[in-house]
Amino acid sequence: MPPVAMVPAAQRLNRVLRRVPTAVVWLGGLLPGAWLVWQLVEGRLGPDPLKPLEHGLGLHGLQFLIAALCITPILRATGLNLLRFRRALGVTGFAYALAHLLVWLLLDMQLRWDEILRDLTRRPYIMIGMLAFVLLVPLAATSTDSALRRMGAAAWRRLHLLAWPATLAAAIHYMMVVKAWPLQPMVYLALVLGLLGARFARMWR
């Protein structure tokens, strides 16, 4: 028995959503990145464009990861079924995280491996960010239907629980990067902690 009875409005909306192709989410996920690239080309990212580009890509990655984690709580709370879009949201979040990492490695650090290794061992916010990315890699690598069939549903679900610590690490990384206490990173971190708390409370019950 579902925890929340599905209201007629949610049922009607779900019928509409079943006709929406997942390609809409995949293509929509490209728009924030395309907007950043356009701003870069037009010279609208300021005198040091690499930092806004790098931070913007990382922020979009975090936003898509959080959106993917919200799918199940939304279903339980409202009956709105967005499960078929969760993979697209999660993989898009990983793609932005990968782009964020590549901008840092290739453009910011310019593959100066001695400095990169020093940052990875001495700067906590970079260590936490790299932890988040490492946790996301197996999720992206097993995001296909064939991977699900090979692993089996139970093992696949256990592995994809890594999305929770990965997103939490990403939110902490964002909070530490800004080196202050502005509202936006605190809101993202609070949202992730709230989602985690709700999940643990449900597991406890």
Coordinates of all heavy atoms in Angstrom, one line a residue, residues 35-123:
W35 N 24.2 27.6 -22.2 CA 24.2 29.0 -21.8 C 25.5 29.4 -21.2 O 26.0 30.5 -21.5 CB 23.1 29.1 -20.7 CG 23.0 30.5 -20.1 CD1 23.3 30.8 -18.8 CD2 22.7 31.7 -20.7 NE1 23.2 32.2 -18.6 CE2 22.7 32.8 -19.7 CE3 22.3 32.1 -22.0 CZ2 22.4 34.1 -20.0 CZ3 22.0 33.4 -22.3 CH2 22.1 34.4 -21.3
L36 N 26.2 28.6 -20.4 CA 27.5 28.9 -19.9 C 28.5 29.1 -21.0 O 29.3 30.0 -21.0 CB 28.0 27.8 -18.9 CG 27.6 27.9 -17.5 CD1 28.0 26.7 -16.7 CD2 28.1 29.2 -16.8
V37 N 28.5 28.2 -22.0 CA 29.4 28.2 -23.1 C 29.2 29.5 -23.9 O 30.1 30.2 -24.3 CB 29.3 27.0 -24.0 CG1 30.1 27.2 -25.3 CG2 29.8 25.8 -23.2
W38 N 27.9 29.8 -24.1 CA 27.6 31.1 -24.9 C 28.1 32.3 -24.1 O 28.7 33.2 -24.7 CB 26.1 31.2 -25.1 CG 25.7 32.4 -25.9 CD1 25.7 32.5 -27.3 CD2 25.3 33.6 -25.4 NE1 25.3 33.7 -27.6 CE2 25.0 34.5 -26.5 CE3 25.0 34.1 -24.1 CZ2 24.5 35.8 -26.4 CZ3 24.6 35.4 -24.0 CH2 24.3 36.2 -25.1
Q39 N 27.9 32.3 -22.8 CA 28.4 33.5 -22.0 C 30.0 33.5 -22.1 O 30.5 34.6 -22.2 CB 28.0 33.3 -20.6 CG 26.5 33.6 -20.3 CD 26.2 33.5 -18.9 OE1 26.4 32.4 -18.3 NE2 25.7 34.5 -18.3
L40 N 30.6 32.4 -22.1 CA 32.1 32.3 -22.3 C 32.5 32.9 -23.6 O 33.4 33.7 -23.7 CB 32.6 30.9 -22.1 CG 34.1 30.7 -22.3 CD1 34.9 31.4 -21.2 CD2 34.4 29.2 -22.3
V41 N 31.9 32.5 -24.7 CA 32.2 32.9 -26.0 C 32.0 34.4 -26.2 O 32.8 35.1 -26.8 CB 31.4 32.1 -27.1 CG1 31.6 32.7 -28.5 CG2 31.9 30.7 -27.1
E42 N 30.9 34.9 -25.6 CA 30.5 36.3 -25.7 C 31.3 37.2 -24.7 O 31.2 38.4 -24.7 CB 29.0 36.5 -25.4 CG 28.2 35.9 -26.5 CD 28.3 36.7 -27.8 OE1 28.3 37.9 -27.8 OE2 28.4 36.0 -28.9
G43 N 32.2 36.6 -23.9 CA 33.0 37.3 -22.9 C 32.2 37.9 -21.8 O 32.5 39.0 -21.2
R44 N 31.1 37.2 -21.4 CA 30.2 37.7 -20.3 C 30.5 37.0 -19.0 O 29.7 37.2 -18.1 CB 28.8 37.5 -20.7 CG 28.4 38.2 -22.0 CD 26.9 38.2 -22.3 NE 26.5 39.0 -23.4 CZ 25.3 39.3 -23.8 NH1 24.3 38.9 -23.0 NH2 25.0 40.0 -24.9
L45 N 31.6 36.3 -18.8 CA 31.9 35.7 -17.6 C 32.9 36.4 -16.7 O 33.4 35.9 -15.8 CB 32.3 34.2 -17.8 CG 31.3 33.3 -18.4 CD1 31.9 31.9 -18.5 CD2 30.1 33.2 -17.5
G46 N 33.2 37.7 -17.1 CA 34.0 38.5 -16.3 C 35.5 38.4 -16.7 O 35.8 37.7 -17.7
P47 N 36.4 39.1 -16.0 CA 37.8 39.2 -16.4 C 38.5 37.8 -16.2 O 39.5 37.6 -16.8 CB 38.3 40.2 -15.5 CG 37.4 40.3 -14.3 CD 36.1 40.0 -14.9
D48 N 38.0 37.0 -15.3 CA 38.6 35.7 -15.1 C 37.5 34.6 -15.4 O 36.9 34.1 -14.5 CB 39.1 35.5 -13.7 CG 39.8 34.2 -13.4 OD1 40.1 33.5 -14.4 OD2 40.0 33.8 -12.2
P49 N 37.2 34.3 -16.7 CA 36.1 33.5 -17.0 C 36.2 32.0 -16.6 O 35.1 31.4 -16.5 CB 36.0 33.6 -18.6 CG 37.5 33.9 -19.0 CD 38.0 34.7 -17.9
L50 N 37.4 31.5 -16.3 CA 37.5 30.1 -16.0 C 36.8 29.8 -14.7 O 36.1 28.8 -14.5 CB 38.9 29.7 -15.9 CG 39.7 29.5 -17.2 CD1 41.1 29.0 -16.9 CD2 38.9 28.6 -18.1
K51 N 36.9 30.7 -13.7 CA 36.2 30.4 -12.4 C 34.7 30.4 -12.5 O 34.1 29.4 -12.0 CB 36.7 31.5 -11.4 CG 38.1 31.3 -10.9 CD 38.4 29.9 -10.3 CE 39.8 29.8 -9.9 NZ 40.1 28.4 -9.3
P52 N 34.0 31.4 -13.1 CA 32.6 31.2 -13.3 C 32.2 30.0 -14.1 O 31.2 29.4 -13.8 CB 32.2 32.5 -14.0 CG 33.3 33.5 -13.7 CD 34.5 32.7 -13.6
L53 N 33.0 29.7 -15.1 CA 32.7 28.5 -15.9 C 32.8 27.2 -15.0 O 31.9 26.4 -15.0 CB 33.6 28.4 -17.1 CG 33.5 27.2 -18.0 CD1 32.1 27.1 -18.7 CD2 34.6 27.1 -19.0
E54 N 33.9 27.1 -14.3 CA 34.1 25.9 -13.5 C 33.1 25.8 -12.4 O 32.5 24.7 -12.2 CB 35.5 26.1 -12.9 CG 36.0 24.9 -12.0 CD 37.3 25.2 -11.4 OE1 38.2 25.8 -12.1 OE2 37.6 24.7 -10.3
H55 N 32.8 26.9 -11.7 CA 31.8 26.9 -10.6 C 30.4 26.7 -11.2 O 29.6 25.9 -10.5 CB 31.9 28.2 -9.8 CG 33.1 28.4 -9.1 ND1 33.5 29.6 -8.5 CD2 34.1 27.5 -8.8 CE1 34.7 29.4 -7.9 NE2 35.1 28.2 -8.1
G56 N 30.1 27.2 -12.3 CA 28.8 27.1 -12.9 C 28.5 25.6 -13.3 O 27.4 25.1 -13.0
L57 N 29.5 25.0 -13.9 CA 29.3 23.5 -14.2 C 29.2 22.7 -13.0 O 28.3 21.8 -13.0 CB 30.6 23.1 -15.0 CG 30.7 23.7 -16.4 CD1 32.1 23.3 -17.0 CD2 29.6 23.2 -17.4
G58 N 29.9 23.0 -12.0 CA 29.8 22.2 -10.7 C 28.5 22.4 -10.1 O 27.8 21.4 -9.6
L59 N 28.0 23.6 -10.1 CA 26.7 23.9 -9.5 C 25.5 23.2 -10.2 O 24.6 22.6 -9.6 CB 26.4 25.4 -9.5 CG 25.1 25.9 -8.9 CD1 24.8 25.4 -7.5 CD2 24.9 27.4 -9.0
H60 N 25.6 23.2 -11.6 CA 24.6 22.5 -12.3 C 24.6 21.0 -12.1 O 23.6 20.4 -12.0 CB 24.8 22.8 -13.8 CG 24.5 24.2 -14.2 ND1 23.4 24.9 -13.7 CD2 25.1 25.0 -15.1 CE1 23.4 26.2 -14.2 NE2 24.4 26.2 -15.1
G61 N 25.8 20.5 -11.9 CA 25.9 19.1 -11.6 C 25.2 18.8 -10.2 O 24.5 17.8 -10.1
L62 N 25.5 19.6 -9.2 CA 24.8 19.4 -7.9 C 23.3 19.5 -8.1 O 22.5 18.8 -7.5 CB 25.4 20.5 -6.9 CG 24.7 20.5 -5.6 CD1 24.9 19.1 -4.8 CD2 25.3 21.6 -4.7
Q63 N 22.8 20.5 -8.8 CA 21.4 20.7 -9.0 C 20.7 19.5 -9.6 O 19.7 19.0 -9.1 CB 21.1 21.9 -9.8 CG 21.5 23.2 -9.1 CD 21.5 24.4 -10.1 OE1 21.7 24.3 -11.3 NE2 21.4 25.6 -9.6
F64 N 21.3 18.9 -10.6 CA 20.7 17.7 -11.3 C 20.8 16.5 -10.3 O 19.9 15.7 -10.3 CB 21.4 17.4 -12.6 CG 20.9 18.3 -13.7 CD1 21.6 19.4 -14.1 CD2 19.7 17.9 -14.4 CE1 21.1 20.2 -15.2 CE2 19.2 18.7 -15.4 CZ 19.9 19.8 -15.8
L65 N 21.9 16.4 -9.6 CA 22.0 15.2 -8.6 C 20.9 15.4 -7.6 O 20.2 14.4 -7.2 CB 23.3 15.2 -8.0 CG 24.5 14.9 -8.9 CD1 25.8 15.0 -8.2 CD2 24.4 13.4 -9.5
I66 N 20.7 16.6 -7.0 CA 19.6 16.8 -6.0 C 18.2 16.5 -6.7 O 17.4 15.8 -6.0 CB 19.7 18.2 -5.5 CG1 21.0 18.3 -4.6 CG2 18.5 18.5 -4.6 CD1 21.2 19.8 -4.1
A67 N 18.0 16.9 -7.9 CA 16.8 16.7 -8.6 C 16.5 15.2 -8.7 O 15.4 14.7 -8.5 CB 16.8 17.3 -9.9
A68 N 17.5 14.4 -9.0 CA 17.4 13.0 -9.1 C 17.0 12.4 -7.7 O 16.2 11.4 -7.7 CB 18.7 12.3 -9.6
L69 N 17.6 12.9 -6.6 CA 17.2 12.3 -5.3 C 15.8 12.7 -4.9 O 15.2 12.1 -4.0 CB 18.2 12.9 -4.3 CG 19.7 12.4 -4.4 CD1 20.5 12.9 -3.2 CD2 19.8 10.9 -4.4
C70 N 15.3 13.8 -5.5 CA 13.9 14.2 -5.1 C 12.8 13.4 -5.7 O 11.7 13.5 -5.3 CB 13.8 15.7 -5.5 SG 14.7 16.9 -4.5
I71 N 13.2 12.6 -6.7 CA 12.1 11.9 -7.5 C 11.3 11.0 -6.5 O 10.0 11.0 -6.6 CB 12.7 11.0 -8.6 CG1 13.5 11.9 -9.6 CG2 11.7 10.2 -9.3 CD1 12.5 12.9 -10.3
T72 N 11.9 10.1 -5.7 CA 11.2 9.2 -4.9 C 10.4 9.9 -3.8 O 9.2 9.6 -3.6 CB 12.1 8.1 -4.3 OG1 12.7 7.4 -5.4 CG2 11.4 7.2 -3.4
P73 N 11.0 10.9 -3.1 CA 10.2 11.6 -2.1 C 9.0 12.3 -2.7 O 7.9 12.3 -2.1 CB 11.2 12.6 -1.5 CG 12.5 12.0 -1.7 CD 12.4 11.3 -3.0
I74 N 9.1 12.8 -3.9 CA 8.0 13.5 -4.6 C 6.9 12.4 -4.8 O 5.7 12.7 -4.6 CB 8.4 14.2 -5.9 CG1 9.2 15.4 -5.5 CG2 7.2 14.5 -6.7 CD1 9.9 16.1 -6.7
L75 N 7.3 11.3 -5.3 CA 6.3 10.2 -5.6 C 5.6 9.8 -4.3 O 4.3 9.7 -4.3 CB 7.0 9.0 -6.2 CG 6.2 7.7 -6.3 CD1 5.0 8.0 -7.3 CD2 7.0 6.6 -6.8
R76 N 6.3 9.7 -3.2 CA 5.7 9.2 -1.9 C 4.8 10.3 -1.4 O 3.7 10.0 -0.7 CB 6.7 8.9 -0.9 CG 7.5 7.6 -1.3 CD 8.7 7.3 -0.4 NE 9.3 6.0 -0.7 CZ 10.5 5.8 -0.3 NH1 11.3 6.6 0.3 NH2 11.0 4.6 -0.6
A77 N 5.2 11.6 -1.6 CA 4.4 12.7 -0.9 C 3.2 13.1 -1.8 O 2.2 13.5 -1.2 CB 5.3 13.9 -0.7
T78 N 3.3 13.0 -3.1 CA 2.2 13.5 -3.9 C 1.6 12.5 -4.9 O 0.6 12.8 -5.5 CB 2.8 14.7 -4.8 OG1 3.7 14.2 -5.7 CG2 3.5 15.7 -3.9
G79 N 2.3 11.4 -5.1 CA 1.8 10.4 -6.1 C 2.3 10.8 -7.5 O 2.0 10.0 -8.5
L80 N 3.1 11.8 -7.7 CA 3.6 12.2 -9.0 C 4.7 11.3 -9.3 O 5.8 11.3 -8.7 CB 4.0 13.7 -9.0 CG 4.4 14.3 -10.3 CD1 3.2 14.3 -11.3 CD2 4.9 15.7 -10.1
N81 N 4.6 10.6 -10.4 CA 5.6 9.6 -10.8 C 6.6 10.1 -11.9 O 6.2 10.2 -13.0 CB 4.9 8.3 -11.3 CG 5.9 7.2 -11.5 OD1 7.1 7.3 -11.5 ND2 5.4 6.0 -11.6
L82 N 7.8 10.5 -11.4 CA 8.8 11.0 -12.3 C 10.0 10.0 -12.4 O 11.1 10.3 -12.9 CB 9.3 12.3 -11.8 CG 8.3 13.4 -11.7 CD1 8.9 14.6 -10.9 CD2 7.8 13.9 -13.1
L83 N 9.7 8.7 -12.0 CA 10.8 7.8 -12.0 C 11.5 7.6 -13.3 O 12.7 7.3 -13.3 CB 10.3 6.4 -11.4 CG 9.9 6.4 -9.9 CD1 9.3 5.1 -9.6 CD2 11.1 6.7 -9.1
R84 N 10.8 7.6 -14.4 CA 11.4 7.4 -15.7 C 12.4 8.4 -16.1 O 13.2 8.3 -17.1 CB 10.3 7.2 -16.8 CG 9.4 8.3 -16.9 CD 8.2 7.9 -17.7 NE 8.5 7.5 -19.1 CZ 8.4 8.3 -20.1 NH1 8.0 9.6 -19.9 NH2 8.8 8.0 -21.3
F85 N 12.4 9.6 -15.4 CA 13.3 10.7 -15.7 C 14.5 10.7 -14.8 O 15.4 11.5 -15.0 CB 12.6 12.0 -15.6 CG 11.4 12.1 -16.5 CD1 10.1 12.2 -16.0 CD2 11.5 12.1 -17.9 CE1 9.0 12.3 -16.8 CE2 10.4 12.2 -18.7 CZ 9.1 12.3 -18.1
R86 N 14.5 9.8 -13.8 CA 15.6 9.9 -12.8 C 16.9 9.6 -13.4 O 18.0 10.2 -13.1 CB 15.3 8.9 -11.6 CG 16.3 9.0 -10.5 CD 15.8 8.3 -9.3 NE 15.4 7.0 -9.5 CZ 14.8 6.2 -8.5 NH1 14.5 6.8 -7.4 NH2 14.5 5.0 -8.8
R87 N 17.0 8.6 -14.3 CA 18.3 8.2 -14.9 C 18.9 9.4 -15.7 O 20.1 9.7 -15.5 CB 18.2 7.0 -15.8 CG 19.5 6.6 -16.5 CD 19.2 5.5 -17.5 NE 18.7 4.3 -16.9 CZ 18.4 3.3 -17.6 NH1 18.5 3.2 -18.9 NH2 17.8 2.2 -17.0
A88 N 18.0 10.1 -16.4 CA 18.5 11.2 -17.2 C 19.0 12.3 -16.3 O 20.1 12.9 -16.6 CB 17.4 11.7 -18.1
L89 N 18.3 12.6 -15.2 CA 18.8 13.6 -14.3 C 20.1 13.2 -13.6 O 21.0 14.1 -13.5 CB 17.7 13.8 -13.2 CG 16.4 14.4 -13.6 CD1 15.4 14.4 -12.5 CD2 16.6 15.9 -14.1
G90 N 20.2 12.0 -13.2 CA 21.5 11.5 -12.5 C 22.7 11.6 -13.5 O 23.8 12.0 -13.1
V91 N 22.5 11.0 -14.7 CA 23.6 11.0 -15.7 C 24.0 12.4 -16.1 O 25.2 12.7 -16.3 CB 23.2 10.1 -16.9 CG1 24.3 10.2 -17.9 CG2 23.1 8.7 -16.4
T92 N 23.0 13.3 -16.2 CA 23.3 14.7 -16.6 C 24.1 15.3 -15.5 O 25.0 16.1 -15.7 CB 22.0 15.5 -16.8 OG1 21.3 14.8 -17.9 CG2 22.3 16.9 -17.2
G93 N 23.7 15.0 -14.2 CA 24.5 15.6 -13.1 C 25.9 15.1 -13.1 O 26.9 15.9 -12.9
F94 N 26.1 13.8 -13.5 CA 27.5 13.3 -13.6 C 28.2 14.0 -14.7 O 29.4 14.3 -14.6 CB 27.5 11.8 -13.8 CG 28.8 11.2 -14.2 CD1 29.8 11.0 -13.2 CD2 29.2 10.9 -15.5 CE1 31.0 10.5 -13.5 CE2 30.4 10.4 -15.8 CZ 31.3 10.2 -14.8
A95 N 27.6 14.2 -15.8 CA 28.2 14.9 -17.0 C 28.7 16.3 -16.6 O 29.8 16.7 -17.0 CB 27.2 14.9 -18.2
Y96 N 27.9 17.0 -15.9 CA 28.3 18.3 -15.4 C 29.5 18.2 -14.4 O 30.4 19.1 -14.4 CB 27.1 19.1 -14.8 CG 26.3 19.8 -15.9 CD1 25.0 19.3 -16.2 CD2 26.8 20.9 -16.6 CE1 24.2 19.9 -17.1 CE2 26.0 21.5 -17.5 CZ 24.7 21.0 -17.8 OH 24.0 21.6 -18.8
A97 N 29.4 17.2 -13.5 CA 30.5 17.0 -12.6 C 31.8 16.7 -13.4 O 32.9 17.2 -13.0 CB 30.2 15.9 -11.6
L98 N 31.7 15.9 -14.4 CA 32.9 15.5 -15.2 C 33.4 16.8 -15.9 O 34.6 17.0 -16.0 CB 32.5 14.5 -16.2 CG 33.6 14.1 -17.2 CD1 34.8 13.5 -16.5 CD2 33.1 13.0 -18.2
A99 N 32.5 17.6 -16.5 CA 32.9 18.8 -17.2 C 33.6 19.8 -16.2 O 34.6 20.4 -16.5 CB 31.7 19.5 -17.8
H100 N 33.0 19.9 -15.0 CA 33.6 20.7 -13.9 C 35.0 20.2 -13.6 O 36.0 21.1 -13.5 CB 32.7 20.6 -12.7 CG 33.3 21.1 -11.4 ND1 33.4 22.5 -11.2 CD2 33.7 20.5 -10.3 CE1 33.9 22.7 -10.0 NE2 34.1 21.5 -9.4
L101 N 35.2 18.9 -13.5 CA 36.6 18.4 -13.2 C 37.5 18.6 -14.3 O 38.7 19.0 -14.1 CB 36.4 16.9 -12.9 CG 37.8 16.1 -12.7 CD1 38.5 16.7 -11.4 CD2 37.5 14.6 -12.5
L102 N 37.1 18.5 -15.5 CA 38.0 18.7 -16.7 C 38.4 20.1 -16.8 O 39.5 20.4 -17.2 CB 37.3 18.2 -18.0 CG 37.1 16.6 -18.1 CD1 36.3 16.3 -19.3 CD2 38.4 15.9 -18.0
V103 N 37.5 21.0 -16.6 CA 37.9 22.4 -16.6 C 38.9 22.7 -15.6 O 39.9 23.5 -15.9 CB 36.6 23.3 -16.4 CG1 37.0 24.8 -16.2 CG2 35.7 23.3 -17.6
W104 N 38.8 22.2 -14.4 CA 39.8 22.4 -13.4 C 41.1 21.8 -13.8 O 42.2 22.4 -13.7 CB 39.3 21.8 -12.1 CG 40.3 21.9 -10.9 CD1 40.7 23.1 -10.4 CD2 41.0 20.9 -10.3 NE1 41.6 22.8 -9.4 CE2 41.8 21.5 -9.3 CE3 41.0 19.5 -10.4 CZ2 42.7 20.7 -8.5 CZ3 41.9 18.7 -9.6 CH2 42.7 19.4 -8.7
L105 N 41.1 20.6 -14.3 CA 42.3 19.9 -14.7 C 43.0 20.5 -15.9 O 44.2 20.8 -15.9 CB 42.1 18.4 -14.9 CG 41.7 17.5 -13.8 CD1 41.4 16.1 -14.3 CD2 42.9 17.4 -12.8
L106 N 42.3 20.7 -16.9 CA 42.8 21.1 -18.2 C 43.1 22.6 -18.3 O 44.1 23.1 -18.9 CB 41.9 20.7 -19.4 CG 41.7 19.1 -19.5 CD1 40.8 18.8 -20.6 CD2 43.0 18.4 -19.7
L107 N 42.1 23.4 -17.9 CA 42.2 24.9 -18.1 C 42.7 25.6 -16.9 O 43.5 26.5 -17.0 CB 40.8 25.4 -18.5 CG 40.2 24.8 -19.7 CD1 38.8 25.4 -20.0 CD2 41.1 24.9 -20.9
D108 N 42.2 25.2 -15.7 CA 42.7 25.9 -14.5 C 44.1 25.5 -14.1 O 45.0 26.3 -14.0 CB 41.7 25.7 -13.4 CG 41.9 26.6 -12.2 OD1 42.9 27.4 -12.2 OD2 41.1 26.5 -11.2
M109 N 44.2 24.2 -13.9 CA 45.5 23.7 -13.4 C 46.5 23.4 -14.6 O 47.7 23.2 -14.4 CB 45.3 22.4 -12.6 CG 44.4 22.6 -11.4 SD 45.1 23.9 -10.3 CE 46.5 23.0 -9.6
Q110 N 45.9 23.3 -15.8 CA 46.7 23.0 -17.0 C 47.6 21.8 -16.9 O 48.8 21.7 -17.3 CB 47.6 24.2 -17.4 CG 46.7 25.5 -17.7 CD 47.6 26.7 -18.0 OE1 48.8 26.6 -18.2 NE2 46.9 27.8 -18.1
L111 N 47.0 20.8 -16.3 CA 47.7 19.4 -16.1 C 49.0 19.5 -15.4 O 49.9 18.7 -15.7 CB 47.8 18.7 -17.5 CG 46.5 18.3 -18.2 CD1 46.8 17.7 -19.5 CD2 45.7 17.4 -17.3
R112 N 49.2 20.5 -14.5 CA 50.4 20.6 -13.7 C 50.2 19.6 -12.6 O 49.7 19.9 -11.5 CB 50.6 22.0 -13.2 CG 50.8 23.0 -14.3 CD 51.2 24.4 -13.7 NE 50.2 25.0 -12.9 CZ 49.3 25.8 -13.4 NH1 49.3 26.1 -14.6 NH2 48.3 26.3 -12.6
W113 N 50.6 18.4 -12.8 CA 50.3 17.2 -11.9 C 50.9 17.4 -10.5 O 50.3 16.9 -9.5 CB 50.7 15.9 -12.5 CG 49.9 15.6 -13.7 CD1 50.3 15.6 -15.0 CD2 48.5 15.2 -13.8 NE1 49.3 15.3 -15.9 CE2 48.2 15.0 -15.1 CE3 47.6 15.0 -12.8 CZ2 46.9 14.6 -15.5 CZ3 46.3 14.6 -13.2 CH2 46.0 14.4 -14.5
D114 N 52.0 18.1 -10.4 CA 52.6 18.3 -9.0 C 51.6 19.1 -8.2 O 51.4 18.9 -7.0 CB 54.0 18.9 -9.1 CG 54.0 20.1 -9.9 OD1 53.1 20.3 -10.8 OD2 55.0 20.9 -9.8
E115 N 51.1 20.2 -8.8 CA 50.2 21.1 -8.1 C 48.8 20.4 -7.9 O 48.2 20.5 -6.8 CB 50.0 22.4 -8.9 CG 51.2 23.2 -9.0 CD 50.9 24.5 -9.7 OE1 49.8 25.0 -9.6 OE2 51.9 25.1 -10.3
I116 N 48.4 19.6 -8.9 CA 47.1 18.9 -8.7 C 47.2 17.9 -7.5 O 46.3 17.8 -6.7 CB 46.8 18.2 -10.0 CG1 46.4 19.2 -11.1 CG2 45.6 17.2 -9.8 CD1 46.3 18.6 -12.5
L117 N 48.3 17.1 -7.5 CA 48.4 16.2 -6.4 C 48.6 16.9 -5.1 O 48.1 16.4 -4.0 CB 49.6 15.3 -6.7 CG 49.5 14.3 -7.9 CD1 50.8 13.6 -8.1 CD2 48.4 13.3 -7.6
R118 N 49.2 18.0 -5.0 CA 49.4 18.7 -3.8 C 48.0 19.2 -3.3 O 47.7 19.1 -2.1 CB 50.3 19.9 -4.0 CG 50.6 20.7 -2.7 CD 51.7 21.6 -2.8 NE 51.6 22.6 -3.8 CZ 52.2 22.7 -5.0 NH1 53.2 21.8 -5.2 NH2 52.0 23.6 -5.8
D119 N 47.2 19.7 -4.2 CA 45.8 20.2 -3.9 C 45.0 19.0 -3.4 O 44.2 19.2 -2.5 CB 45.2 20.9 -5.0 CG 45.7 22.3 -5.3 OD1 46.4 22.8 -4.4 OD2 45.3 22.9 -6.3
L120 N 45.1 17.9 -4.0 CA 44.3 16.7 -3.7 C 44.7 16.1 -2.3 O 43.9 15.4 -1.7 CB 44.5 15.6 -4.7 CG 43.8 15.8 -6.1 CD1 44.2 14.8 -7.1 CD2 42.3 15.8 -5.9
T121 N 45.8 16.5 -1.8 CA 46.2 16.0 -0.5 C 46.2 17.0 0.6 O 46.3 16.7 1.8 CB 47.7 15.4 -0.6 OG1 48.6 16.4 -1.1 CG2 47.7 14.2 -1.5
R122 N 46.1 18.3 0.2 CA 46.2 19.4 1.2 C 45.0 20.3 1.3 O 44.8 21.0 2.3 CB 47.4 20.2 0.9 CG 48.7 19.5 1.1 CD 49.9 20.4 0.8 NE 51.2 19.7 0.9 CZ 52.4 20.3 0.7 NH1 52.5 21.6 0.5 NH2 53.5 19.5 0.8
R123 N 44.1 20.3 0.3 CA 43.0 21.1 0.3 C 41.7 20.3 0.5 O 41.3 19.6 -0.3 CB 42.9 21.9 -1.0 CG 44.0 22.9 -1.3 CD 43.8 23.6 -2.6 NE 44.9 24.5 -2.8 CZ 45.0 25.8 -2.5 NH1 44.0 26.3 -1.8 NH2 46.0 26.5 -2.8

